[in-house]
Amino acid sequence: MKEEILTKYPNLKDVSDLNEVFWLNPKLVPYEEGARAINMNIAAIDDAEKRLKKFAPLIEKVFPETLPTGGIIESPIKEINRMKDKLQKLYNFDSAGRLLLKMDSHLAIAGSIKARGGIYEVLKHAETLAMEAGLLKEDDDYSILADQKFRDFFGKYKIQVGSTGNLGLSIGITSAALGFNVIVHMSADAKQWKKDLLRAKGATVIEYESDYSKAVEEGRKASDQDPMSYFVDDENSMNLFMGYSVAARRLKNQLDDLNILVDEAHPLFVYLPCGVGGAPGGIAYGLKSVYKDNVHCFFVEPTHAPCMLVGMATGLHNEISVRDLGIDGITHADGLAVGRPSKLVGKMMDYLLGGVITIDDYKLYDYMRNLHETENKDIEPSACAAFEGFVKFETTDEGKEYIKRHNLENNMKNAVHIAWATGGSLVPEEINKQFLETYLR
Ligand SMILES: *Cc1c(COP(=O)(O)O)cnc(C)c1O
């Protein structure tokens, strides 16, 4: 299997040897062309954005921590100059642009990027059920969904999900808060504290000895056998994807507020840690729809779990697993420990994504320490993969090649780079301390 694949795709040799790589997507085309090729669905993003606004009064009521933002779950963005200086010194480069941290690590309720797609999908499902039962109308105030009558109603239904941890937290916490029965199927790599937290919130956790794909498969099977059960399918869900995509519009407002212009002369670079692909894919999709050719999106994956890279580079998407290349899929980056990519995301990224960068696990902890020391911010190891995107873009031949291909030489001085911090604020202090003291090399 491996030899056949490498004969056909010799550029995957480095990937199969577990070397860090920067894969430039050869299919990337100008936005209008790419959007046409994939049937970019702007109306679906509109719909998700509108739905989240409608649900804001309910969110505010059920999760009082969202009161300050009126029930809108959004994360801060912060310029991190000291971190930028530190990275430049350590990796010996000089970036003319600015570096910002998008702190989904601190999103309300779930403490990770999964607060976007996961919560959106649960809300949408609750809306569908309530409307079908004639209990909710289009123009109702959705905060009524917090009433006991609805809790009893949702209590007749079940929601299930397979997860390495963070998606489980997001789905579990939201579903339980609305009164659903919720079962989270957790892969072996899921951290104990996440299981404990979920159980404390009222979710049922089923543990598997196997990896993420198996947990999803088992969850899907269990759910399909139960007519009252709904499965949140991380490998296939368009709802999750669209929930994530709304982030782009929120980001535009934030950048506007900071007087940060994005246009032809002021390019935007975004580095997104990638697991199965849904979260980074949805956000990149939204970003391309907003900023078109002026935004450049890159995914970052662990060298031991480069599933999106392998799926996109071969065009086989979910029909190939990193194990087919002899790669074990085992990594400290638990949110990214995925061997087989989403069925839909790679296809939607084919003409829009700049490329995929891979990172050795030990660096995750180095970045984490550096961020802690320079900015006094803590994000989880997986989220730190984002920094590798920025560093590789600035220090490699592939980065220079990308700049040349897109005629960006004269505009790099105006560039804004965003490292998308995908999780971390729910990590218990003791575990965070252990992370900060982990040296793999
Ligand atoms: C889930 C997750 C990702 C990646 O999202 P996918 O949809 O799996 O690609 C990145 N970072 C963290 C911390 C996550 O939990």
Side-chain angles (χ1 to χ4, degrees):
M1 184 72 157
K2 176 175 166 180
E3 297 315 319
E4 273 166 53
I5 297 169
L6 289 181
T7 308
K8 204 160 168 198
Y9 309 98
N11 62 335
L12 290 180
K13 175 81 171 84
D14 263 349
V15 176
S16 78
D17 286 346
L18 302 175
N19 292 326
E20 286 188 340
V21 300
F22 185 167
W23 174 76
L24 289 175
N25 177 12
K27 289 189 183 163
L28 176 63
V29 290
Y31 172 75
E32 295 301 341
E33 198 181 317
R36 221 175 305 121
I38 61 158
N39 274 319
M40 167 73 74
N41 189 350
I42 306 283
I45 310 176
D46 293 339
D47 186 52
E49 187 182 27
K50 247 189 263 155
R51 184 168 287 106
L52 286 169
K53 277 192 191 133
K54 265 175 104 168
F55 268 104
L58 173 70
I59 295 287
E60 193 181 68
K61 207 159 162 185
V62 180
F63 299 105
E65 59 186 295
T66 64
L67 265 168
T69 53
I72 294 291
I73 303 164
E74 194 44 72
S75 67
I77 188 162
K78 182 182 187 301
E79 185 151 16
I80 46 171
N81 284 327
R82 287 183 301 265
M83 178 65 169
K84 185 187 162 213
D85 288 345
K86 180 90 188 179
L87 294 175
Q88 293 185 146
K89 276 196 201 96
L90 281 173
Y91 298 98
N92 197 17
F93 66 99
D94 200 2
S95 169
R98 298 164 73 175
L99 178 63
L100 277 69
L101 189 68
K102 178 62 176 157
M103 294 174 61
D104 278 11
S105 44
H106 292 65
L107 276 174
I109 303 167
S112 81
I113 196 166
K114 305 298 192 307
R116 299 183 182 280
I119 293 175
Y120 175 72
E121 177 144 8
V122 171
L123 295 176
K124 184 162 190 242
H125 178 58
E127 178 190 51
T128 304
L129 288 176
M131 280 187 174
E132 281 174 3
L135 300 171
L136 181 74
K137 291 189 304 294
E138 193 76 48
D139 49 5
D140 280 339
D141 173 348
Y142 277 27
S143 67
I144 60 169
L145 291 170
D147 296 352
Q148 190 58 42
K149 170 177 116 178
F150 282 97
R151 295 189 58 82
D152 295 343
F153 172 70
F154 293 137
K156 292 187 289 184
Y157 295 90
K158 213 179 269 172
I159 293 182
Q160 305 196 48
V161 65
S163 170
T164 64
N166 283 344
L167 184 64
L169 283 181
S170 152
I171 301 290
I173 293 171
T174 317
S175 305
L178 293 182
F180 284 103
N181 294 301
V182 57
I183 303 177
V184 181
H185 301 260
M186 287 275 209
S187 52
D189 53 316
K191 297 274 157 44
Q192 190 59 43
W193 69 265
K194 294 184 181 175
K195 299 174 194 168
D196 296 342
L197 179 59
L198 270 172
R199 288 185 174 123
K201 298 273 181 187
T204 302
V205 177
I206 300 183
E207 301 174 56
Y208 296 88
E209 304 262 323
S210 42
D211 70 349
Y212 161 86
S213 305
K214 186 75 182 167
V216 172
E217 190 187 319
E218 291 296 326
R220 192 187 288 126
K221 220 188 286 170
S223 187
D224 286 352
Q225 284 163 4
D226 181 349
M228 298 302 273
S229 176
Y230 177 82
F231 187 63
V232 177
D233 196 334
D234 201 15
E235 293 178 324
N236 298 293
S237 170
M238 196 51 99
N239 289 328
L240 279 175
F241 189 85
M242 289 304 167
Y244 290 122
S245 75
V246 175
R249 296 177 177 192
R250 308 262 185 85
L251 180 75
K252 179 172 189 321
N253 290 337
Q254 289 183 320
L255 293 183
D256 289 350
D257 287 346
L258 292 169
N259 288 318
I260 292 177
L261 181 67
V262 178
D263 63 12
E264 201 177 339
H266 301 78
L268 176 64
F269 297 85
V270 183
Y271 309 102
L272 298 141
C274 176
V276 74
I283 291 175
Y285 186 86
L287 284 169
K288 292 302 285 187
S289 77
V290 170
Y291 291 120
K292 306 190 164 59
D293 290 317
N294 303 322
V295 67
H296 307 273
C297 301
F298 298 92
F299 291 173
V300 190
E301 299 188 299
T303 51
H304 280 256
C307 66
M308 192 57 68
L309 193 170
V310 169
M312 288 184 74
T314 58
L316 292 171
H317 302 297
N318 65 315
E319 280 156 33
I320 187 166
S321 158
V322 298
R323 288 180 191 85
D324 300 334
L325 272 172
I327 302 172
D328 58 14
I330 296 171
T331 161
H332 280 235
D334 42 342
L336 315 183
V338 179
R340 188 183 295 279
S342 152
K343 191 168 173 178
L344 57 93
V345 174
K347 290 169 201 161
M348 296 173 80
M349 287 294 107
D350 262 343
Y351 307 105
L352 302 177
L353 190 69
V356 183
I357 287 148
T358 62
I359 177 174
D360 281 330
D361 275 11
Y362 77 92
K363 284 189 186 164
L364 299 169
Y365 297 103
D366 291 348
Y367 286 132
M368 195 177 159
R369 274 185 288 276
N370 286 319
L371 186 70
H372 178 85
E373 281 161 23
T374 56
E375 307 284 345
N376 194 25
K377 292 278 180 256
D378 288 325
I379 64 176
E380 62 187 276
S382 307
C384 291
F387 295 116
E388 183 71 4
F390 173 59
V391 171
K392 278 247 165 56
F393 187 82
E394 293 285 6
T395 56
T396 59
D397 290 344
E398 288 86 351
K400 290 182 187 73
E401 168 67 22
Y402 187 93
I403 291 170
K404 208 168 97 199
R405 261 190 223 172
H406 297 272
N407 296 315
L408 293 163
E409 290 96 335
N410 295 327
N411 298 329
M412 290 312 292
K413 61 181 182 300
N414 304 323
V416 169
H417 302 265
I418 295 181
W420 207 288
T422 44
S425 64
L426 291 191
V427 175
E429 207 178 312
E430 187 47 40
I431 309 248
N432 191 66
K433 208 166 140 246
Q434 286 170 18
F435 285 155
L436 287 169
E437 287 163 4
T438 300
Y439 292 85
L440 297 182
R441 198 154 115 174

